[in-house]
Amino acid sequence: MGGQCSFIKASGERCRGTATAQNGLCWAHDPANAEKRRRVASRGGRGKANREVAALKDELKSVITDVRAGDLDRNDAAVMIQGYRALKDLIALERQVKETDELAAEIEELKREYGVA
Ligand SMILES: [Zn+2]
């Protein structure tokens, strides 16, 4: 441990990262971490946000249907739609934060790979 990563890049150049694992690979090239990163990325990510958007869409549709049928007061509907709009903004914000975090992690990985971290 502590030596130079033994990974050879597509360019034929050896990785300049510092080996962090017993197998002589840096964090970015250790297959154990690649698996971990993939799991983390697929767990939180876009699947949840997309489900939230789909649920929001369904609720909005039912509000519109109810107003049209006269089952829901127009003022109540207006307040509900305001709430949905706020939720939509939050989902969008959450997605932006997530994308920024993912980008930051990728940059860290690249920095490690090029030995500038
Ligand atoms: Zn490496």
Side-chain angles (χ1 to χ4, degrees), residues 4-9 14-19 24-30 112-114:
Q4 192 182 348
C5 173
S6 61
F7 186 85
I8 307 297
K9 286 185 265 189
R14 188 171 165 186
C15 172
R16 276 182 274 165
T18 303
L25 294 165
C26 73
W27 189 87
H29 290 122
D30 187 348
R112 264 188 217 100
E113 185 171 344
Y114 290 97

